[in-house]
Amino acid sequence: NAGVTQTPKFRILKIGQSMTLQCTQDMNHNYMYWYRQDPGMGLKLIYYSVGAGITDKGEVPNGYNVSRSTTEDFPLRLELAAPSQTSVYFCASRASGQGSYEQYFGPGTRLTVT
Amino acid sequence: AQSVTQPDIHITVSEGASLELRCNYSYGATPYLFWYVQSPGQGLQLLLKYFSGDTLVQGIKGFEAEFKRSQSSFNLRKPSVHWSDAAEYFCAVGSVRQGAQKLVFGQGTRLTINP
């Protein structure tokens, strides 16, 4: 049982490049989330999904896109990378049943845009 | 809108000493409350959570937290810290009405342990 996996672990992008951060969970969770973590700022929600085919914006969605074609996968797309997107990105998932409120986090992707 | 404040950005305690990390939240009703821990280079792990009932909740690794509605606080405590407790700690709040579908996180408190 791998839980939540993220690839890559590290990436350096040039300004204007695009990339996709991959997230996969094997717990059959309906809810999935993307956060970014900047130093001293805690975690900010970028996008989330309550099931396959359903996504919604979080607090800081600008510059990002997501899709959810399967229960397992929730990729995050950066189309035109900007230095402001330098951050650590975490994917998380949780079950949807009553009382199943714990979010399980992946190990993160450290992205630098120069 | 929900918000969470962790007033202490960085705390240093000696190994074996007691610990209290503060968390204050802003929410119009009784919230769901969580404490997560993040070890260096790792994702977040749930320490404990409060939904309802007993206001003193026990978590993993010997941590506990107390919900105080009158003070809008959910402080994390441990009677005796170990060097392995050095990490960053995040308090989070979720909406009861929305089933904690989304969480709002505090800024985090970095804990350093002196030997």
Side-chain angles (χ1 to χ4, degrees):
Chain A
N1 189 334
V4 180
T5 57
Q6 294 183 237
T7 56
K9 285 187 168 52
F10 304 93
R11 183 71 186 268
I12 299 175
L13 280 183
K14 293 190 186 304
I15 295 172
Q17 287 184 322
S18 62
M19 78 164 294
T20 298
L21 280 66
Q22 301 292 344
C23 176
T24 299
Q25 54 91 8
D26 62 359
M27 296 173 282
N28 201 33
H29 286 169
N30 282 333
Y31 291 4
M32 294 188 75
Y33 304 84
W34 274 107
Y35 295 92
R36 59 177 289 171
Q37 183 182 30
D38 301 315
M41 299 297 289
L43 277 75
K44 302 292 186 185
L45 181 64
I46 305 172
Y47 271 95
Y48 70 105
S49 169
V50 301
I54 306 170
T55 62
D56 206 350
K57 295 177 181 178
E59 191 180 356
V60 289
N62 291 343
Y64 307 94
N65 279 301
V66 294
S67 60
R68 183 93 183 273
S69 56
T70 67
T71 299
E72 295 78 21
D73 300 307
F74 190 41
L76 178 70
R77 179 83 178 161
L78 283 71
E79 290 294 349
L80 291 170
S84 61
Q85 293 178 305
T86 293
S87 189
V88 181
Y89 291 84
F90 289 100
C91 180
S93 72
R94 59 157 267 206
S96 56
Q98 183 72 18
S100 303
Y101 304 129
E102 176 180 356
Q103 293 188 20
Y104 295 82
F105 284 80
T109 294
R110 185 175 295 274
L111 176 67
T112 302
V113 182
T114 62
Chain B
Q2 305 156 47
S3 67
V4 178
T5 300
Q6 294 179 245
D8 304 305
I9 295 173
H10 185 203
I11 284 182
T12 300
V13 300
S14 298
E15 189 167 16
S18 63
L19 171 70
E20 182 169 31
L21 302 182
R22 296 183 291 164
C23 172
N24 295 99
Y25 66 89
S26 173
Y27 185 62
T30 301
Y32 291 141
L33 293 160
F34 307 80
W35 274 101
Y36 281 85
V37 61
Q38 183 183 31
S39 298
Q42 303 295 315
L44 279 68
Q45 179 187 20
L46 182 69
L47 279 177
L48 47 76
K49 60 195 177 207
Y50 172 79
F51 294 158
S52 64
D54 193 347
T55 56
L56 184 64
V57 292
Q58 303 296 322
I60 62 172
K61 306 184 181 187
F63 285 93
E64 66 178 25
E66 186 171 12
F67 170 59
K68 292 186 177 180
R69 185 193 307 273
S70 61
Q71 299 176 18
S72 296
S73 69
F74 188 56
N75 294 348
L76 182 71
R77 300 194 294 250
K78 186 169 185 178
S80 176
V81 297
H82 185 262
W83 63 267
S84 60
D85 293 325
E88 187 133 21
Y89 292 80
F90 292 94
C91 183
V93 62
S95 162
V96 171
R97 184 166 52 85
Q98 296 177 350
Q101 193 173 93
K102 295 187 290 184
L103 298 182
V104 174
F105 286 83
Q107 307 94 309
T109 298
R110 184 159 59 92
L111 175 65
T112 299
I113 307 295
N114 280 337

